[in-house]
Amino acid sequence: MPRIHWRIVFLPSLVASLYVLYTLGAHHSLHLAIFKPTFGFLLTNLGQEGIPVIPPETSSANEPAAEKVSAPSSLKTFTRHIVAVGDLHGDLPNARRVLQFAGVTDAFGNWSGNVDFFVQTGDIIDRGDDTIPLFFWMDRLRDQAQAVGGTVLSHLGNHEWMNVIGDWRYVYPSEIKTFGTVEARQKMLSSGRIGRSWAANYSTTSRLPLHPSLGAPNTPYPPAHHLLHVQVQKDGDLDESSMFTRPYFDPTEPLSHSAVSFVHGGLSPTYQQLTPFPSRINEIGASLLKKLQNRVQPPPHPPNRYPGLPPSSTPEEIELYESNGPLWYRGWAMEDETAVCSQVDQVLARTGTKRMVMGHTPDFKNIVSRCDGKIIIIDTGISHAYGGVLSALSIHYTFTPIGDAENPEEQEWREREVISALYPDRQDVLVDEQRHVVGNFDRYH
């Protein structure tokens, strides 16, 4: 009897076994390790209706090619890829389409490993029937991302807050039926799985550093050792009314503002709780959310009267939910360009960021960039309730060594940030900024 080589028997058996495991649901863990390098890559780069989509790592026809820099072998280029998506409003199919063509997920809705951070700016709930599967999916993506070194940053929008307050004006009756009863929905959003995830995994705002020298996401700015308060002279005299918080720029920390803020509504220039950012806002939000979730749930409005905030709410908690607070503010989207651009630098300085990204105020055709990309509004009415355009924001950050200085403190680097609006059929570059930085940053890589 001729001898059968064991590899001929073993390899097909292995492939068959993996396929069985995959179809039984084990693809959540197997996908990244096995399938992604092969046909998974092809699937993740098909957009809606099979339209080939340029992956975020590849320059489009509209995106300028990265300038080649000769880097010494002893130093490495640092890269960070961020994708942000705005309001989803109860539409799971459209949400899945967006995350797939943006490279966040594969064709099966699992974390692709192609991005470092995925940011969602709130308003997942209302106007559609997919509340439960959307929030459960976000939880699954968060776990999958963490398992391979990625991060999901989630935010509560004004509609999440409305629902936990008991303001159900935008809740469809058909969506309530997906929970079973009004009482079951109230429990799910307070002490149930969705409510617990809001308390543990969602914040009101976030600060995402582009370079690791600034620390982990949501590291408070300014650092405790910074001097912040300065007095501003007006007409030769000290004008107390013109005093405001301005960062102390340490020349040894040239990357201090290489970060992006994310929030649902907007960070108003007159909002009183901006610093330290984002910890102050998030502490207030966490405190208010706990009070709302732990109280006896009031009958929802409508048809009942509007329940409002708890009597124990502090002035800071009330301010958080007002029109000037980060959940409802629309000034950056609605006000005149000249007025907006004259105020934005003050907010960026106070929050230690280069630009701020928000949802809440939809433009149904495009992601909106204002003031040379210092303000980016990413709500494009993704949900079928609006019929807007499907979109995502992509941020590619690179920090590349130039030459090889003998003294590490004199090492030159090129910092580059390319920000693109992604759509099913195109990729539009909104920002392409670069600058030279000097210092010893390789130790942070």
Side-chain angles (χ1 to χ4, degrees):
M1 179 177 179
R3 187 173 67 175
I4 299 175
H5 201 291
W6 69 269
R7 291 184 180 88
I8 298 176
V9 176
F10 175 75
L11 289 177
S13 300
L14 174 62
V15 172
S17 300
L18 290 175
Y19 180 78
V20 170
L21 288 173
Y22 191 80
T23 57
L24 290 176
H27 62 276
H28 295 305
S29 58
L30 288 173
H31 169 74
L32 287 175
I34 299 169
F35 293 97
K36 177 186 164 186
T38 55
F39 65 86
F41 175 80
L42 299 176
L43 291 174
T44 57
N45 287 282
L46 289 179
Q48 280 186 281
E49 302 174 355
I51 300 173
V53 176
I54 301 169
E57 294 78 16
T58 304
S59 296
S60 71
N62 297 324
E63 181 177 333
E67 182 179 347
K68 293 184 178 180
V69 179
S70 177
S73 58
S74 60
L75 300 175
K76 297 180 181 179
T77 295
F78 173 80
T79 64
R80 180 159 282 180
H81 183 198
I82 303 162
V83 168
V85 171
D87 306 33
L88 299 176
H89 280 304
D91 192 331
L92 178 63
N94 278 357
R96 289 191 59 153
R97 292 186 186 103
V98 170
L99 267 63
Q100 183 181 341
F101 74 64
V104 177
T105 60
D106 63 16
F108 303 99
N110 296 311
W111 185 260
S112 69
N114 292 330
V115 302
D116 300 303
F117 292 89
F118 167 60
V119 184
Q120 203 284 321
T121 55
D123 275 12
I124 292 176
I125 203 169
D126 283 349
R127 303 189 190 277
D129 293 345
D130 297 334
T131 296
I132 295 174
L134 273 169
F135 281 111
F136 286 8
W137 183 42
M138 291 296 154
D139 285 343
R140 193 179 82 216
L141 289 178
R142 184 176 295 105
D143 292 341
Q144 291 176 343
Q146 186 175 7
V148 293
T151 302
V152 173
L153 293 177
S154 301
H155 301 83
L156 296 175
N158 64 298
H159 279 259
E160 279 80 28
W161 284 95
M162 290 172 69
N163 275 268
V164 76
I165 289 171
D167 183 353
W168 289 16
R169 283 174 290 164
Y170 302 98
V171 181
Y172 290 173
S174 55
E175 191 260 10
I176 295 177
K177 290 181 180 179
T178 66
F179 289 83
T181 64
V182 168
E183 293 74 21
R185 190 176 188 274
Q186 288 178 315
K187 183 176 180 180
M188 180 70 85
L189 302 184
S190 55
S191 61
R193 177 173 168 179
I194 293 177
R196 293 197 304 270
S197 184
W198 287 359
N201 302 314
Y202 288 69
S203 64
T204 303
T205 186
S206 62
R207 177 176 182 262
L208 179 51
L210 297 173
H211 192 274
S213 64
L214 301 183
N218 294 333
T219 297
Y221 180 88
H225 66 276
H226 274 215
L227 303 175
L228 277 180
H229 296 284
V230 298
Q231 295 175 328
V232 180
Q233 295 287 337
K234 185 176 181 180
D235 298 328
D237 298 320
L238 184 64
D239 181 17
E240 295 292 337
S241 66
S242 65
M243 290 179 62
F244 65 94
T245 303
R246 177 183 290 168
Y248 168 76
F249 287 97
D250 185 338
T252 65
E253 298 179 6
L255 298 182
S256 63
H257 284 57
S258 291
V260 180
S261 71
F262 295 90
V263 69
H264 179 67
L267 302 172
S268 166
T270 58
Y271 180 61
Q272 297 299 308
Q273 310 299 328
L274 278 181
T275 55
F277 181 78
S279 53
R280 177 59 178 158
I281 294 175
N282 288 338
E283 288 167 0
I284 296 170
S287 173
L288 179 58
L289 181 65
K290 183 176 181 180
K291 292 177 182 179
L292 290 166
Q293 291 183 322
N294 289 346
R295 71 177 175 178
V296 176
Q297 296 302 299
H301 163 76
N304 304 285
R305 68 180 181 87
Y306 176 67
L309 299 181
S312 61
S313 299
T314 66
E316 293 79 13
E317 292 166 350
I318 294 171
E319 182 187 17
L320 180 85
Y321 195 68
E322 290 178 336
S323 61
N324 195 53
L327 302 168
W328 289 94
Y329 183 69
R330 297 186 189 271
W332 301 123
M334 304 295 292
E335 291 182 5
D336 175 76
E337 187 84 2
T338 301
V340 164
C341 295
S342 68
Q343 297 174 324
V344 64
D345 286 337
Q346 177 185 341
V347 175
L348 297 177
R350 294 176 66 187
T351 56
T353 55
K354 297 175 66 175
R355 62 191 86 257
M356 46 187 169
V357 177
M358 65 213 73
H360 186 49
T361 307
D363 182 294
F364 300 122
K365 295 182 179 180
N366 296 287
I367 287 176
V368 175
S369 173
R370 308 189 75 183
C371 310
D372 297 322
K374 295 177 181 179
I375 298 167
I376 302 178
I377 303 136
I378 62 173
D379 181 6
T380 59
I382 288 172
S383 172
H384 68 274
Y386 290 105
V389 66
L390 305 187
S391 68
L393 188 75
S394 173
I395 302 175
H396 280 273
Y397 178 84
T398 55
F399 197 69
T400 306
I402 303 172
D404 195 355
E406 293 184 4
N407 181 355
E409 302 302 326
E410 297 177 356
Q411 176 64 50
E412 294 185 45
W413 304 80
R414 178 168 291 123
E415 181 187 50
R416 189 181 187 196
E417 191 179 0
V418 178
I419 303 179
S420 302
L422 307 180
Y423 306 99
D425 58 349
R426 72 187 195 278
Q427 177 173 325
D428 297 340
V429 175
L430 305 177
V431 175
D432 186 357
E433 293 181 355
Q434 55 183 316
R435 64 172 181 148
H436 283 75
V437 177
V438 178
N440 183 10
F441 299 100
D442 190 55
R443 63 185 183 274
Y444 296 106
H445 291 188

